[in-house]
Amino acid sequence: MPKRTRAGALTALAAAALAVGTAVAAPAAAAPKPPGFLAAADLPPQPGLSWTAGRVTAGVPEAVERDTCLGIALGGGQNTWYREFRTDLDTGARQVSAELPSVSAAKGRFAKLDEDIVSCAYRIETDDPQTRATFQDHGDLPVGDGAHVYALHTVTSWGASDIRLLSVGRDGRTVTVVDWGRLGGFADAPVKAFKKTTATAVHKLH
């Protein structure tokens, strides 16, 4: 009886060791692959300036987490990537893309971003009464599963004037946001070129 008990124990230990070995040997789950991103040449042309593109990076930058227009929907950063773009002067841009677990979830994220951008001017003025924010809706784009383009102009009480172009687009389970900005007003915003950039961003996702 003692021998059978010991043999059973050794067999159990061997099985456990084999299980551990198998677990160790199993390949680690592959990291999610980021969607396609804009290149520097895809950004609206700036006379006399050239765009420089940063690396595609996992997560969201702190600037997005704190952003009144985008931070609520993009602040989590799970399965999210971004790319920064800059020029030598005051014009910059950023693309942020998120891969959602389902088409339904992606539709929800798209709707939330759309809602947050539309209400952004009101929330900016509520948070900072010294800043005046004006919003323009530049309509839908028939690309992928849909995209929408907006403009936002802010002026502070001390005279700083900034213009942003924002767009949100979706293709399947992937949602992307393109954010362009510089000093100036609505007249300085290259809306037509930015619409082309947005269409390219959605096309490049997959």
Side-chain angles (χ1 to χ4, degrees):
M1 188 69 167
K3 290 183 179 179
R4 285 197 297 271
T5 303
R6 186 178 178 190
L10 289 173
T11 302
L13 287 172
L18 178 61
V20 171
T22 302
V24 171
K33 182 181 178 181
F37 271 76
L38 291 166
D42 299 321
L43 274 291
Q46 292 294 116
L49 299 175
S50 59
W51 286 98
T52 300
R55 296 172 55 190
V56 175
T57 305
V60 293
E62 185 179 350
V64 171
E65 292 181 341
R66 293 186 285 104
D67 188 81
T68 305
C69 298
L70 305 175
I72 300 172
L74 291 177
Q78 185 175 7
N79 289 341
T80 304
W81 299 265
Y82 69 94
R83 190 174 206 179
E84 305 271 5
F85 302 88
R86 62 177 177 82
T87 65
D88 292 335
L89 293 181
D90 63 355
T91 306
R94 178 187 297 115
Q95 183 183 5
V96 183
S97 296
E99 190 78 18
L100 283 300
S102 67
V103 170
S104 177
K107 288 180 178 179
R109 181 69 63 89
F110 179 97
K112 178 58 177 170
L113 282 162
D114 206 53
E115 176 186 305
D116 288 351
I117 293 171
V118 169
S119 63
C120 188
Y122 170 78
R123 287 183 286 114
I124 287 172
E125 292 186 342
T126 300
D127 293 344
D128 183 5
Q130 297 188 63
T131 299
R132 180 182 177 186
T134 310
F135 172 83
Q136 288 183 349
D137 185 336
H138 288 282
D140 294 317
L141 296 178
V143 57
D145 291 310
H148 208 116
V149 176
Y150 303 98
L152 179 70
H153 180 221
T154 55
V155 180
T156 65
S157 59
W158 55 91
S161 178
D162 295 283
I163 182 67
R164 288 175 77 179
L165 292 173
L166 293 152
S167 64
V168 55
R170 182 179 70 84
D171 188 10
R173 297 188 298 112
T174 310
V175 176
T176 193
V177 172
V178 184
D179 184 0
W180 174 99
R182 59 162 292 179
L183 300 178
F186 287 121
D188 303 300
V191 175
K192 185 176 180 180
F194 185 75
K195 286 184 175 182
K196 183 178 179 181
T197 295
T198 297
T200 301
V202 176
H203 280 309
K204 282 192 167 186
L205 290 174
H206 301 294

